[in-house]
């Protein structure tokens, strides 16, 4: 049988991180975002040009290999709902093995629902925690976990997570340094301050 689900255009994957949602998580940063929030720290993910293509099955195999070390999977970007078809199928598979799904979006929940798009609705129905709303530079606030501005909201779409999980968590940044001296930073926090403190050159394409 020919699989018609489109491949996912991916910016980067990280097999295990504790900085992008509750517990240890497999993270997929999708490639492509039309929203272009001012002050976005992930500008390298904006382009919709092909970057790394994965089929849903390829990604699911990688996730299954990590199954015993993670609590769930996080979709972020880029804008996950611009690739809702592939992600909704992947999210369904992830839930079927007992892992949780956290999805970030620069769109609000209401604006996604009003589109009446089957794939968007399917991704929402397979998401346990939606973290929604654009990053707004004038509303920068790093006091809550995983978000950078005060307008962004936590939407508990299933019973898997609750306010308690938010209150127990803190914002953090993880930095991975490669043998060649390059590094990858992820999580949420004041990247500019980090740059000054550690004398690093944090480029805008380092998430
Ligand atoms: S903050 Fe998120 S939604 Fe906004 S432009 Fe950057 S990647 Fe897109």
């Amino acid at each position: 049988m020919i699989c018609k689900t489109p491949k996912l255009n991916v910016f980067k994957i990280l097999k295990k991180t504790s900085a992008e949602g509750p517990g240890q998580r497999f993270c997929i940063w999708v490639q492509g975002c039309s929203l272009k929030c001012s002050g976005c720290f992930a500008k390298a993910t904006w382009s919709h040009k092909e970057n790394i293509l994965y089929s849903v099955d390829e990604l699911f195999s990688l996730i299954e290999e990590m199954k015993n070390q993670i609590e769930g999977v996080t979709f972020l970007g880029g804008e996950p709902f611009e690739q809702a078809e592939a992600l909704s199928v992947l999210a369904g598979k992830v839930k079927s093995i007992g892992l949780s799904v956290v999805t970030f979006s620069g769109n609000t929940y209401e604006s996604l629902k009003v589109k009446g798009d089957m794939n968007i609705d399917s991704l929402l129905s397979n998401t346990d925690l939606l973290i929604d709303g654009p990053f707004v530079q004038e509303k920068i606030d790093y006091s809550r976990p995983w978000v950078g501005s005060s307008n962004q909201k936590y939407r508990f779409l299933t019973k898997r997570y609750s306010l308690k999980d938010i209150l127990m968590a803190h914002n953090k940044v993880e930095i991975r340094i490669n043998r060649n001296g390059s590094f990858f930073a992820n999580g949420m926090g004041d990247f500019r301050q980090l740059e000054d403190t550690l004398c690093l050159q944090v480029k805008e394409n380092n998430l």
Side-chain angles (χ1 to χ4, degrees):
M1 198 172 76
I2 298 168
C3 176
K4 289 187 182 154
T5 306
K7 289 195 172 190
L8 200 67
N9 192 9
V10 171
F11 174 74
K12 186 175 178 69
I13 63 170
L14 208 49
K15 291 186 176 177
K16 195 162 97 171
T17 170
S18 63
E20 308 287 359
Q24 298 286 347
R25 312 193 68 79
F26 188 108
C27 280
I28 301 171
W29 284 267
V30 299
Q31 181 71 50
C33 179
S34 306
L35 297 169
K36 300 185 170 51
C37 306
S38 172
C40 168
F41 236 95
K43 285 185 180 163
T45 68
W46 286 7
S47 166
H48 290 88
K49 272 194 194 154
E50 198 174 296
N51 190 37
I52 312 167
L53 291 185
Y54 286 99
S55 70
V56 167
D57 287 343
E58 284 168 336
L59 282 169
F60 185 58
S61 306
L62 294 173
I63 292 166
E64 267 193 311
E65 282 170 17
M66 297 298 294
K67 186 184 163 190
N68 296 326
Q69 298 180 49
I70 56 173
E71 168 169 339
V73 177
T74 297
F75 302 140
L76 62 175
E79 173 52 47
F81 285 90
E82 291 180 10
Q83 298 188 63
E85 185 175 356
L87 283 181
S88 65
V89 176
L90 181 60
K93 286 174 178 273
V94 167
K95 301 264 293 181
S96 75
I97 57 169
L99 298 175
S100 66
V101 173
V102 172
T103 307
F104 283 77
S105 178
N107 295 286
T108 62
Y109 175 75
E110 292 77 8
S111 69
L112 290 168
K113 284 303 285 180
V114 89
K115 286 181 197 287
D117 180 301
M118 190 179 71
N119 295 315
I120 288 177
D121 287 346
S122 172
L123 179 53
L124 286 172
S125 68
N126 280 306
T127 293
D128 295 294
L129 171 62
L130 173 75
I131 300 177
D132 72 339
F135 172 71
V136 178
Q137 206 161 16
E138 296 72 32
K139 295 185 177 176
I140 282 180
D141 175 12
Y142 298 120
S143 65
R144 300 177 304 152
W146 320 310
V147 296
S149 62
S150 60
N151 59 299
Q152 294 170 306
K153 292 184 179 165
Y154 307 95
R155 311 283 191 146
F156 305 105
L157 303 184
T158 68
K159 293 195 169 138
R160 180 98 185 213
Y161 295 115
S162 67
L163 191 57
K164 201 172 126 201
D165 297 287
I166 309 302
L167 295 174
M168 277 167 36
H170 303 283
N171 249 346
K172 61 172 109 163
V173 173
E174 288 178 5
I175 300 174
R176 287 169 177 76
I177 300 173
N178 300 316
R179 286 178 197 280
N180 66 5
S182 66
F183 69 92
F184 177 76
N186 73 291
M188 184 54 71
D190 188 341
F191 281 84
R192 301 271 175 230
Q193 195 184 45
L194 187 75
E195 186 177 35
D196 291 345
T197 309
L198 300 179
C199 301
L200 294 172
Q201 274 209 307
V202 180
K203 293 181 190 154
E204 284 177 336
N205 61 358
N206 267 306
L207 292 156

